[in-house]
Amino acid sequence: MFGRRKIIRLGLYGPPNAGKTTLANKISMDWTGEPVGSVSEIPHETREVQKKERVVIQTRGKKLVMNLLDMPGIATKIDFEEFLAHGLSVDDAQQRAKEATKGVIEAIKWLENVDTALVIMDSAKDPYTQVNITIIGNLEARGIPVVIVANKIDLDDAKPELIQEAFPQHPVVKISGLRGQHLEELYNAIAKYSV
Amino acid sequence: MKIQMEFISSDVLKDMLGGDKIEFILKKIKGNKILVLDGGLSPLEETRLIEETMSKINKSFRGIEISTLRDKVDGGIKNKLIKFLGGQTGGLTVIGPSKLVKKIKKEPQKILLFAEKR
C-alpha cells in the first residue's frame, strides 16, 4: 500500500444530454487513446455507470491517476413518449425508459463513492434547475469537492456566465468537450480541487 | 378542470423517518396532488425522493417536478450537520406529478409553477 499513488474516483454528474459522455470520451482519448462510451442526441444514452480505470493525466508538473466514472444523467421524470419522438419503436422506448430509471438510481447511489465530482451543465440552457441544485447540494453535504463544467461553449446561444452566477460557491470551468476547448483549464482544476 | 394543491405544515413531516416521509410524499403525488412542503426537503432527501420516484415509474406515473427554496443559513457546523442528517434548515419545497406540472421555473427567491390538466 505504501508508496502507491492515490487513485481519484472522478464522477461526471449532470442532467441528461449535458455532454458528460462526450467529455469523458475526450478526456479518455487524450490520455489513454480509448473512448468510454457511446453518445447520442436521444436522452439517457448512458444508462449504466461507465468506467475507465487508471487514466493518468499530467498537468503543471503534477501527475493524477483517476478512475473516470461517467454517470447516467439524473432526472426527476422519464417519459417514454419523449423517446418515441426521437423515432424509437414503442418497445425500444419502453425498454429505454425502464433502463433509464435504473440508471438514475445507480448514479445517485454512486454519489457516496466518488472523491471529486465534475457537474456538467449545458451552457445554452438555464442552469438554475432543481436537478443541478440537488446534485450540488448533495455533494456539498457529503463534503465532496465539486468542479462545475460549463460545457458546450461552442454553441451560439451559450451563456456560461449564467452558470457562474447561479453557483458562485464553486469553481466553474468553461469548455467545449466536443471541440476540446479549454480542457487544459479543466485538468488544472481537477488537479487543484481533488484531495 | 380541477387541480388540487396541498400545503403541508412542517409539523406533519418533522417526526417522520426519512423513508416514511418519502413514501408519504409519493403517495400524495401519485394521487395527482401538488404539494407545498413547509420547511422544505434537504438535498439528501431530494435525492432519496428522486430514487424512489424512479423505482415507481410506469406507464401512468412518469415522474415528478420539484423545486426547493432554501432559507439562507450560515455555514456553521451545526447547520451542516442538520442538513447532512436530512433535517430542515428552513425553506419550502413544491412537488407535483410531471403529468400535471408542465414546468417549474426557479429563481433565487421564487418558484413559478405551470400546471395543466389534460
Side-chain angles (χ1 to χ4, degrees):
Chain A
M1 294 291 284
F2 292 104
R4 278 195 181 177
R5 190 179 297 279
K6 188 194 173 195
I7 297 176
I8 296 161
R9 295 167 298 180
L10 183 74
L12 278 69
Y13 278 95
N17 281 31
K20 295 180 293 300
T21 304
T22 299
L23 177 59
N25 281 344
K26 183 66 186 160
I27 295 172
S28 185
M29 287 297 290
D30 274 359
W31 300 99
T32 73
E34 296 171 352
V36 175
S38 62
V39 296
S40 166
E41 288 185 0
I42 307 174
H44 298 285
E45 176 68 8
T46 305
R47 299 185 294 283
E48 291 180 350
V49 178
Q50 302 186 118
K51 302 169 197 163
K52 190 74 185 170
E53 296 186 330
R54 296 195 66 82
V55 177
V56 182
I57 69 168
Q58 287 182 306
T59 178
R60 289 183 179 167
K62 196 172 173 181
K63 190 185 256 188
L64 286 178
V65 186
M66 307 186 304
N67 286 347
L68 275 183
L69 301 162
D70 178 26
M71 302 291 172
I74 293 182
T76 60
K77 60 183 177 186
I78 309 282
D79 190 343
F80 84 98
E81 287 181 0
E82 187 184 1
F83 303 139
L84 293 178
H86 279 92
L88 295 189
S89 68
V90 172
D91 285 349
D92 286 348
Q94 287 176 340
Q95 181 64 24
R96 193 180 185 92
K98 191 175 175 185
E99 291 170 5
T101 61
K102 290 180 182 168
V104 173
I105 293 170
E106 192 183 3
I108 289 173
K109 290 199 185 303
W110 267 90
L111 277 165
E112 57 191 78
N113 292 309
V114 301
D115 300 309
T116 303
L118 301 183
V119 181
I120 323 292
M121 300 180 196
D122 182 337
S123 295
K125 292 186 175 168
D126 177 10
Y128 210 65
T129 65
Q130 192 60 43
V131 165
N132 288 340
I133 292 164
T134 299
I135 294 170
I136 289 172
N138 202 299
L139 292 162
E140 287 172 348
R142 295 173 190 278
I144 296 168
V146 173
V147 175
I148 296 175
V149 179
N151 194 21
K152 305 191 185 183
I153 59 166
D154 54 304
L155 296 179
D156 288 342
D157 50 352
K159 291 178 182 166
E161 63 278 8
L162 295 183
I163 296 176
Q164 204 142 30
E165 283 172 25
F167 302 100
Q169 72 274 37
H170 293 291
V172 176
V173 184
K174 300 164 188 171
I175 70 151
S176 166
L178 184 66
R179 310 271 180 221
Q181 293 171 328
H182 306 300
L183 289 191
E184 194 61 34
E185 290 170 34
L186 177 61
Y187 297 141
N188 289 339
I190 294 169
K192 183 175 177 182
Y193 295 101
S194 294
V195 288
Chain B
M1 182 180 74
K2 288 180 182 173
I3 292 176
Q4 189 175 349
M5 291 186 74
E6 205 167 301
F7 294 76
I8 298 176
S9 158
S10 58
D11 285 344
V12 176
L13 300 173
K14 71 179 181 187
D15 294 327
M16 287 186 188
L17 296 173
D20 293 343
K21 190 188 285 189
I22 301 303
E23 283 302 315
F24 173 85
I25 292 167
L26 274 177
K27 191 175 175 187
K28 287 186 179 289
I29 299 293
K30 290 186 79 177
N32 285 329
K33 290 177 181 172
I34 296 171
L35 304 183
V36 180
L37 308 179
D38 175 31
L41 295 178
S42 72
L44 294 182
E45 288 173 327
E46 286 167 2
T47 44
R48 192 157 180 191
L49 178 64
I50 294 171
E51 265 189 281
E52 286 302 313
T53 298
M54 288 298 127
S55 72
K56 290 180 167 51
I57 283 181
N58 55 35
K59 281 183 186 172
S60 61
F61 178 65
R62 297 175 186 183
I64 60 171
E65 290 287 354
I66 175 172
S67 192
T68 294
L69 282 181
R70 293 195 175 89
D71 284 353
K72 283 189 176 174
V73 293
D74 66 52
I77 291 170
K78 183 182 168 190
N79 275 324
K80 282 184 178 173
L81 185 62
I82 291 170
K83 282 171 75 177
F84 185 77
L85 293 173
Q88 293 165 356
T89 54
L92 63 84
T93 295
V94 182
I95 319 168
S98 61
K99 71 176 177 184
L100 274 184
V101 180
K102 296 303 161 197
K103 185 180 172 186
I104 293 182
K105 182 164 173 49
K106 186 180 165 98
E107 294 179 11
Q109 292 176 318
K110 70 177 176 184
I111 293 170
L112 300 169
L113 184 147
F114 303 89
E116 179 185 15
K117 189 170 186 180
R118 289 178 189 162

